[in-house]
Every structure is written in C-alpha cells, then in structure tokens.
Amino acid sequence: MARTVYSIKKNRLKRSFGEGFMMDEAGNLYLDENSPTHRLYLTAIDSAEDDSEWGRLSFKVRLSEEQVLYTYAFATNDRELKMGEEMVDVESFLIADGIPDSAKKILFNHSEARRFVDKRDVLLYGLKGRYLYICIEILGLGEGMLYNIRAERGSDEFMDAFPEIYRENNDFFRRYMTVFNSIYNDFEDVIDRLPELLSFDTCPSELLPTYAAWLGIDVQGDFMKPEALRQLVKEAYVLNRMKGTKECLKRLLTIVLEETPIILESNQMKEYAESEGEGVFDVTVLVKKKFSENERFQLMYLLDQFMPVRCRLKIETLKDNSILDNRVYLDMNAQVQYLEDAKLDEYMSLDGQLVLEE
C-alpha cells in the first residue's frame, strides 16, 4: 500500500471541536493564555478503505515548561459505536459542544485508543480502521502554538524492501528502521515542495525580496504590502523591458500605491503653471496617497531604478477636491480654469458651456 499523507488544514479545523484555542488565517492554533485547558477533537480522517493501517502522526507545537501535552488516537471501520445501551455517531459525538469531555474520553477508552504524553511525532502501528479519530489536549497556563498536523497511512518504504519476516508490527527492528524512514519521508516532503518555493504565487513572502534581487530590483524596506511586493516580482520581467518609459513608472506606481497616478512631464506642466528651474527631463507625479518621509525616501529609491537617465522626479500629494457653492471662497491650491471659445470650422463654434479635453 502506498503512503498517503493527510494534512489537517483550516477547513477541517473549522469543522472540528476546539476549546481554549484561537485560529489565524493560516490555520495555526494559538493557546488562550487565560484558559488552563486546551482540547482539540478532529473530525474523522476517512481513508475510504476498511482495515487501513495507520502509520505516523506528527504535528508541531510550542509550549512552556509548565504545560503538558496528551495525544489520543483510535481507528474503526464504523461511523457508529455503542455507548451503554445506545449507538452514537462518533464524529458528531466528539465535536458536539454540549457533551462533557469526560464522556468523550470514555468513548476513547472503550475504543482502545492509544495515549501519548509529550510526544510530537508518534507511530500508530497496530491501529486499523477506515476512520481515524484524534484528540490533542494541552493542560496548563501560558502561551503556545499548535500547527502542521499530519497523519499518514500505508506501508513504510524502508520496511517493504526487507523480507516479510522482518515486517512484524511493534518489534524492535521495525521501530528502529522507522526512525530512518521518517527522516527519509521528511526530506521527500521538502523536495516535493520545492516547486512551491520557486513559484511567485506560492512562495513565502520572506523570499520575495530575494527573487526581486535576482531580477535586478532592490526592494529593501517595509513600505510595500506583501500582496503588492508579490505582484511587483511577478511583473518584474515586463517592467525591466519597459524601464525608462512613462508607462513603466505608471504601472510601477499603480502596483505599489494601489492607485493610478497622474504623471506630468515638463512640457505638460507649462500648460498649468510656470515653475522656475523646471528642466526638459523633469517629471512630476501626482498621487492621492500621503507618505511619511521614510516611505517617500524608500519609494523614490525604488523609482530611481526605473527612471530614465538625467530624469528628475518629484512626487506631489493631491489634496481633496474643493466644491464651490454660493458664498464659498477658494482655498489654497485651487484654480478655476478660464474657458475660451474654440472655432471648429467655418460658421461652427463652441459656446462657454463646452470644453474640449485632450
């Protein structure tokens, strides 16, 4: 039987019963510091095959020295088991809110569940059944975290290479070889995840500055959101090909600022205002977002990597538009445009209510 790995993700954790835990967006469980008891009853892991042999159960946990970790697990082919005189649906029973924990522990005891103390990586050899039920309990006050829960079923690759006489469950040789098999499987999982690490869509955000540097872009600093940084790296090749153009700066600023900027070149600025010292290579960027001095410096450092040679760029933050009404004065930086009549053709003209836009 091939090895099958079941990863306990956020969706399964939502359907499970948790007490004394708080879950983040990534599906990591954090211990409630004000609760002395933390229990997690997972929904059934269904192998879709009767008498499945379960192998390794592992998870990562960070606890204080005063806290104690207990793990319980049992397997069965039936979704319903007898408790006293009644038949109960195991999964519904374990994840129900109103049932006391003592009653749930009785069900585990009747099912001959395995119990492990302070173990993060255990073997479930000997457990056979289509459905695997798991309970993780942490006792004690303090900070802590539980994540990356994985259950495996199927045979060990190392043991399959030996004659059948060596494959007995729970004997010394199998337990000894399982240590090396677990190390081998961990390496195999890391290798299988390499394509995810090399993809801009799935790699951790910590790797994005490195990938940007490989593409010739220095994005050091914390002025960009992770989503914007990921999009910048994805479009880095195209942006490098457009480097030095107005469209490149416009797209770059749109990604970073999450708004479409207005980019005015020197010849365009003369239509709006006469500025001393404006050169033919000067560019003004008008945006709505407000910056701190540190953010402005970091943004300018990024833009310098894409600006044309000899180009001088400055960023101006636009104020909110002013609305005029009766008895309202114009404030600073406000301007009323003077509209002129324009002649279109012979005997055709515009009145003062129409404006031609570029």
Side-chain angles (χ1 to χ4, degrees):
M1 182 191 301
R3 182 175 73 105
T4 305
V5 180
Y6 300 88
S7 296
I8 311 303
K9 301 292 187 179
K10 183 178 179 180
N11 288 336
R12 182 183 292 273
L13 291 173
K14 282 184 175 180
R15 302 194 307 269
S16 302
F17 173 81
E19 178 185 4
F21 289 103
M22 296 174 291
M23 183 168 60
D24 63 11
E25 290 298 323
N28 301 316
L29 296 175
Y30 294 87
L31 274 61
D32 184 354
E33 299 181 33
N34 299 319
S35 175
T37 304
H38 315 84
R39 296 187 182 94
L40 175 65
Y41 288 93
L42 297 175
T43 56
I45 301 176
D46 186 0
S47 67
E49 184 178 340
D50 287 347
D51 295 326
S52 295
E53 295 185 2
W54 296 94
R56 183 183 178 193
L57 170 64
S58 63
F59 49 85
K60 295 183 179 179
V61 62
R62 292 204 298 264
L63 303 175
S64 63
E65 295 181 357
E66 294 77 17
Q67 294 172 324
V68 182
L69 169 68
Y70 296 97
T71 306
Y72 306 86
F74 73 92
T76 177
N77 289 328
D78 303 316
R79 294 192 67 92
E80 293 186 350
L81 293 177
K82 189 174 183 180
M83 283 196 66
E85 300 298 328
E86 299 180 358
M87 297 293 294
V88 297
D89 182 279
V90 179
E91 181 175 294
S92 301
F93 184 82
L94 293 178
I95 66 175
D97 280 332
I99 299 177
D101 183 69
S102 57
K104 298 178 182 180
K105 291 289 180 59
I106 292 175
L107 177 60
F108 272 80
N109 292 334
H110 286 176
S111 304
E112 298 181 354
R114 296 282 184 86
R115 179 175 179 268
F116 307 92
V117 181
D118 284 334
K119 302 293 183 182
R120 280 85 166 161
D121 197 329
V122 298
L123 297 176
L124 304 179
Y125 290 153
L127 291 185
K128 291 186 179 182
R130 172 173 174 171
Y131 305 102
L132 177 67
Y133 296 94
I134 298 171
C135 170
I136 300 175
E137 183 179 39
I138 300 172
L139 302 180
L141 294 171
E143 297 180 355
M145 182 179 178
L146 174 65
Y147 59 104
N148 197 24
I149 307 173
R150 293 157 50 96
E152 300 178 8
R153 76 176 183 94
S155 57
D156 297 336
E157 290 83 350
F158 280 20
M159 292 306 303
D160 289 342
F162 290 94
E164 187 173 357
I165 191 174
Y166 294 101
R167 302 181 194 174
E168 296 182 9
N169 281 331
N170 295 323
D171 68 341
F172 172 79
F173 180 72
R174 179 161 190 173
R175 286 185 280 113
Y176 176 75
M177 292 303 300
T178 299
V179 175
F180 299 98
N181 188 71
S182 299
I183 297 174
Y184 170 79
N185 289 335
D186 289 342
F187 276 123
E188 191 177 51
D189 292 338
V190 172
I191 294 172
D192 290 341
R193 290 185 61 247
L194 285 180
E196 298 180 11
L197 298 178
L198 296 175
S199 171
F200 296 151
D201 292 314
T202 57
C203 70
S205 57
E206 294 79 8
L207 292 177
L208 292 174
T210 302
Y211 292 157
W214 291 357
L215 296 168
I217 305 175
D218 188 351
V219 292
Q220 298 300 322
D222 56 356
F223 69 103
M224 293 180 61
K225 296 180 180 178
E227 298 81 7
L229 179 57
R230 191 177 299 274
Q231 187 64 32
L232 174 62
V233 174
K234 290 171 65 175
E235 299 187 28
Y237 175 75
V238 176
L239 291 173
N240 278 326
R241 294 191 63 183
M242 299 192 307
K243 185 177 293 187
T245 65
K246 178 180 178 180
E247 288 302 318
C248 175
L249 293 180
K250 186 174 182 180
R251 180 55 188 160
L252 182 62
L253 287 165
T254 301
I255 294 173
V256 176
L257 304 179
E258 297 180 343
E259 67 173 88
T260 302
I262 300 174
I263 300 179
L264 300 175
E265 300 175 53
S266 178
N267 60 335
Q268 293 176 298
M269 287 297 294
K270 293 178 181 179
E271 301 177 8
Y272 298 96
E274 292 293 336
S275 301
E276 296 183 1
E278 293 286 349
V280 294
F281 299 106
D282 292 348
V283 174
T284 301
V285 177
L286 305 179
V287 297
K288 296 180 180 179
K289 184 175 181 180
K290 297 181 180 180
F291 307 96
S292 65
E293 286 301 319
N294 183 48
E295 290 174 336
R296 183 182 293 272
F297 173 79
Q298 291 176 321
L299 180 59
M300 289 298 298
Y301 179 75
L302 176 63
L303 294 176
D304 282 341
Q305 303 174 55
F306 291 88
M307 287 193 298
V309 177
R310 293 188 292 176
C311 175
R312 293 189 304 176
L313 183 144
K314 63 179 180 179
I315 300 177
E316 299 289 346
T317 300
L318 295 173
K319 295 183 178 180
D320 295 334
N321 295 331
S322 299
I323 301 175
L324 299 182
D325 202 348
N326 291 337
R327 298 185 178 86
V328 175
Y329 295 93
L330 294 177
D331 59 5
M332 295 181 62
N333 295 331
Q335 178 181 0
V336 176
Q337 286 187 324
Y338 178 74
L339 305 180
E340 297 180 353
D341 293 339
K343 187 175 182 180
L344 297 177
D345 202 346
E346 188 175 1
Y347 307 115
M348 301 293 294
S349 64
L350 298 176
D351 58 23
Q353 302 299 321
L354 301 179
V355 179
L356 288 179
E357 294 184 352
E358 296 181 354

Short mmCIF file of all heavy atoms in Angstrom, two decimals, residues 59-86:
data_model
loop_
_atom_site.label_atom_id
_atom_site.label_comp_id
_atom_site.label_asym_id
_atom_site.label_seq_id
_atom_site.Cartn_x
_atom_site.Cartn_y
_atom_site.Cartn_z
N PHE A 59 2.91 16.57 14.48
CA PHE A 59 2.49 17.96 14.47
C PHE A 59 3.57 18.78 15.15
O PHE A 59 4.46 18.24 15.82
CB PHE A 59 1.13 18.15 15.19
CG PHE A 59 1.06 17.50 16.54
CD1 PHE A 59 1.51 18.15 17.67
CD2 PHE A 59 0.54 16.22 16.67
CE1 PHE A 59 1.45 17.55 18.92
CE2 PHE A 59 0.46 15.62 17.91
CZ PHE A 59 0.91 16.28 19.03
N LYS A 60 3.50 20.07 14.96
CA LYS A 60 4.46 20.98 15.58
C LYS A 60 3.74 21.77 16.66
O LYS A 60 2.60 22.21 16.48
CB LYS A 60 5.07 21.91 14.54
CG LYS A 60 5.93 21.17 13.51
CD LYS A 60 6.58 22.12 12.54
CE LYS A 60 7.43 21.36 11.53
NZ LYS A 60 8.07 22.27 10.55
N VAL A 61 4.43 21.96 17.78
CA VAL A 61 3.82 22.63 18.91
C VAL A 61 4.89 23.38 19.69
O VAL A 61 6.02 22.92 19.80
CB VAL A 61 3.08 21.62 19.82
CG1 VAL A 61 4.04 20.61 20.41
CG2 VAL A 61 2.31 22.33 20.93
N ARG A 62 4.52 24.57 20.17
CA ARG A 62 5.41 25.35 21.03
C ARG A 62 4.70 25.56 22.36
O ARG A 62 3.62 26.18 22.41
CB ARG A 62 5.75 26.70 20.38
CG ARG A 62 6.61 26.58 19.14
CD ARG A 62 7.38 27.86 18.90
NE ARG A 62 6.49 28.98 18.66
CZ ARG A 62 6.14 29.43 17.46
NH1 ARG A 62 6.61 28.81 16.38
NH2 ARG A 62 5.34 30.45 17.33
N LEU A 63 5.29 25.04 23.43
CA LEU A 63 4.68 25.11 24.74
C LEU A 63 5.69 25.61 25.77
O LEU A 63 6.90 25.57 25.54
CB LEU A 63 4.16 23.73 25.17
CG LEU A 63 3.14 23.04 24.25
CD1 LEU A 63 2.84 21.65 24.76
CD2 LEU A 63 1.87 23.86 24.15
N SER A 64 5.17 26.05 26.91
CA SER A 64 6.04 26.41 28.04
C SER A 64 6.37 25.15 28.84
O SER A 64 5.76 24.10 28.66
CB SER A 64 5.34 27.44 28.93
OG SER A 64 4.16 26.91 29.50
N GLU A 65 7.33 25.26 29.73
CA GLU A 65 7.77 24.10 30.51
C GLU A 65 6.68 23.59 31.45
O GLU A 65 6.68 22.41 31.81
CB GLU A 65 9.02 24.46 31.31
CG GLU A 65 10.23 24.79 30.44
CD GLU A 65 11.45 25.11 31.27
OE1 GLU A 65 11.32 25.12 32.52
OE2 GLU A 65 12.52 25.35 30.70
N GLU A 66 5.75 24.44 31.85
CA GLU A 66 4.72 24.03 32.80
C GLU A 66 3.55 23.31 32.13
O GLU A 66 2.69 22.75 32.82
CB GLU A 66 4.17 25.25 33.56
CG GLU A 66 5.18 25.93 34.48
CD GLU A 66 6.18 26.79 33.72
OE1 GLU A 66 5.89 27.11 32.54
OE2 GLU A 66 7.23 27.15 34.30
N GLN A 67 3.48 23.32 30.83
CA GLN A 67 2.35 22.73 30.12
C GLN A 67 2.64 21.27 29.76
O GLN A 67 3.78 20.89 29.48
CB GLN A 67 2.02 23.53 28.87
CG GLN A 67 1.50 24.94 29.18
CD GLN A 67 1.35 25.79 27.94
OE1 GLN A 67 2.15 25.70 27.02
NE2 GLN A 67 0.32 26.63 27.92
N VAL A 68 1.57 20.46 29.74
CA VAL A 68 1.68 19.03 29.44
C VAL A 68 0.83 18.72 28.21
O VAL A 68 -0.29 19.22 28.08
CB VAL A 68 1.21 18.17 30.63
CG1 VAL A 68 1.39 16.69 30.33
CG2 VAL A 68 1.97 18.55 31.90
N LEU A 69 1.37 17.89 27.34
CA LEU A 69 0.71 17.55 26.08
C LEU A 69 0.27 16.09 26.10
O LEU A 69 1.06 15.19 26.40
CB LEU A 69 1.68 17.80 24.91
CG LEU A 69 1.26 17.27 23.54
CD1 LEU A 69 0.04 18.02 23.01
CD2 LEU A 69 2.43 17.39 22.55
N TYR A 70 -1.01 15.85 25.76
CA TYR A 70 -1.54 14.49 25.64
C TYR A 70 -2.12 14.33 24.24
O TYR A 70 -2.77 15.24 23.72
CB TYR A 70 -2.64 14.22 26.67
CG TYR A 70 -2.18 14.29 28.11
CD1 TYR A 70 -2.36 15.45 28.87
CD2 TYR A 70 -1.59 13.18 28.72
CE1 TYR A 70 -1.95 15.51 30.18
CE2 TYR A 70 -1.18 13.24 30.04
CZ TYR A 70 -1.36 14.40 30.77
OH TYR A 70 -0.94 14.45 32.07
N THR A 71 -1.90 13.16 23.65
CA THR A 71 -2.45 12.84 22.34
C THR A 71 -3.15 11.50 22.40
O THR A 71 -2.59 10.53 22.94
CB THR A 71 -1.34 12.80 21.27
OG1 THR A 71 -0.61 14.03 21.29
CG2 THR A 71 -1.94 12.60 19.88
N TYR A 72 -4.38 11.43 21.88
CA TYR A 72 -5.16 10.20 21.86
C TYR A 72 -5.55 9.91 20.41
O TYR A 72 -5.86 10.84 19.63
CB TYR A 72 -6.44 10.34 22.70
CG TYR A 72 -6.21 10.79 24.12
CD1 TYR A 72 -6.14 12.15 24.43
CD2 TYR A 72 -6.09 9.87 25.15
CE1 TYR A 72 -5.94 12.58 25.73
CE2 TYR A 72 -5.89 10.29 26.47
CZ TYR A 72 -5.81 11.65 26.74
OH TYR A 72 -5.61 12.06 28.04
N ALA A 73 -5.58 8.63 20.05
CA ALA A 73 -5.97 8.24 18.69
C ALA A 73 -6.51 6.82 18.68
O ALA A 73 -6.00 5.94 19.38
CB ALA A 73 -4.77 8.35 17.74
N PHE A 74 -7.57 6.60 17.89
CA PHE A 74 -8.07 5.25 17.65
C PHE A 74 -8.67 5.19 16.25
O PHE A 74 -9.00 6.23 15.65
CB PHE A 74 -9.09 4.82 18.71
CG PHE A 74 -10.44 5.47 18.59
CD1 PHE A 74 -11.45 4.87 17.85
CD2 PHE A 74 -10.72 6.67 19.23
CE1 PHE A 74 -12.70 5.47 17.74
CE2 PHE A 74 -11.96 7.27 19.13
CZ PHE A 74 -12.96 6.66 18.37
N ALA A 75 -8.80 3.98 15.72
CA ALA A 75 -9.32 3.77 14.37
C ALA A 75 -10.43 2.73 14.41
O ALA A 75 -10.41 1.80 15.24
CB ALA A 75 -8.21 3.34 13.42
N THR A 76 -11.40 2.87 13.52
CA THR A 76 -12.52 1.94 13.43
C THR A 76 -13.08 1.96 12.02
O THR A 76 -12.93 2.96 11.30
CB THR A 76 -13.62 2.32 14.44
OG1 THR A 76 -14.72 1.43 14.29
CG2 THR A 76 -14.09 3.74 14.24
N ASN A 77 -13.74 0.87 11.65
CA ASN A 77 -14.39 0.80 10.34
C ASN A 77 -15.80 1.38 10.37
O ASN A 77 -16.41 1.58 9.30
CB ASN A 77 -14.47 -0.65 9.85
CG ASN A 77 -13.10 -1.19 9.45
OD1 ASN A 77 -12.24 -0.44 8.98
ND2 ASN A 77 -12.90 -2.48 9.64
N ASP A 78 -16.34 1.62 11.55
CA ASP A 78 -17.73 2.04 11.69
C ASP A 78 -17.82 3.50 12.11
O ASP A 78 -17.03 3.97 12.94
CB ASP A 78 -18.44 1.18 12.74
CG ASP A 78 -18.38 -0.30 12.41
OD1 ASP A 78 -18.61 -0.64 11.23
OD2 ASP A 78 -18.07 -1.10 13.33
N ARG A 79 -18.79 4.18 11.56
CA ARG A 79 -19.04 5.57 11.96
C ARG A 79 -19.84 5.64 13.26
O ARG A 79 -19.86 6.67 13.93
CB ARG A 79 -19.77 6.33 10.86
CG ARG A 79 -18.95 6.53 9.59
CD ARG A 79 -19.62 7.52 8.67
NE ARG A 79 -19.60 8.85 9.24
CZ ARG A 79 -18.65 9.75 9.03
NH1 ARG A 79 -17.62 9.44 8.28
NH2 ARG A 79 -18.73 10.96 9.57
N GLU A 80 -20.51 4.53 13.60
CA GLU A 80 -21.30 4.49 14.83
C GLU A 80 -20.74 3.43 15.77
O GLU A 80 -20.37 2.34 15.33
CB GLU A 80 -22.77 4.20 14.53
CG GLU A 80 -23.47 5.32 13.77
CD GLU A 80 -24.95 5.04 13.62
OE1 GLU A 80 -25.37 3.90 13.93
OE2 GLU A 80 -25.69 5.95 13.20
N LEU A 81 -20.68 3.76 17.06
CA LEU A 81 -20.21 2.83 18.08
C LEU A 81 -21.22 2.80 19.22
O LEU A 81 -21.97 3.76 19.44
CB LEU A 81 -18.83 3.25 18.61
CG LEU A 81 -17.66 3.17 17.62
CD1 LEU A 81 -16.39 3.70 18.28
CD2 LEU A 81 -17.45 1.75 17.12
N LYS A 82 -21.20 1.70 19.95
CA LYS A 82 -22.15 1.52 21.05
C LYS A 82 -21.57 2.10 22.33
O LYS A 82 -20.46 1.78 22.73
CB LYS A 82 -22.46 0.04 21.24
CG LYS A 82 -23.59 -0.22 22.23
CD LYS A 82 -23.95 -1.69 22.26
CE LYS A 82 -25.13 -1.93 23.18
NZ LYS A 82 -25.51 -3.36 23.23
N MET A 83 -22.36 2.97 22.97
CA MET A 83 -22.01 3.52 24.28
C MET A 83 -23.17 3.24 25.23
O MET A 83 -24.24 3.83 25.10
CB MET A 83 -21.73 5.02 24.20
CG MET A 83 -20.38 5.36 23.63
SD MET A 83 -19.93 7.07 23.99
CE MET A 83 -19.76 7.01 25.77
N GLY A 84 -22.93 2.32 26.15
CA GLY A 84 -24.02 1.91 27.02
C GLY A 84 -25.04 1.13 26.24
O GLY A 84 -24.76 0.11 25.63
N GLU A 85 -26.27 1.62 26.23
CA GLU A 85 -27.35 0.96 25.51
C GLU A 85 -27.64 1.62 24.17
O GLU A 85 -28.54 1.18 23.45
CB GLU A 85 -28.63 0.97 26.38
CG GLU A 85 -28.48 0.27 27.71
CD GLU A 85 -28.16 -1.21 27.54
OE1 GLU A 85 -28.63 -1.79 26.54
OE2 GLU A 85 -27.45 -1.76 28.40
N GLU A 86 -26.90 2.67 23.82
CA GLU A 86 -27.21 3.43 22.61
C GLU A 86 -26.07 3.37 21.61
O GLU A 86 -24.90 3.18 21.97
CB GLU A 86 -27.50 4.90 22.96
CG GLU A 86 -28.69 5.10 23.89
CD GLU A 86 -28.91 6.57 24.18
OE1 GLU A 86 -28.11 7.39 23.68
OE2 GLU A 86 -29.88 6.89 24.89
#
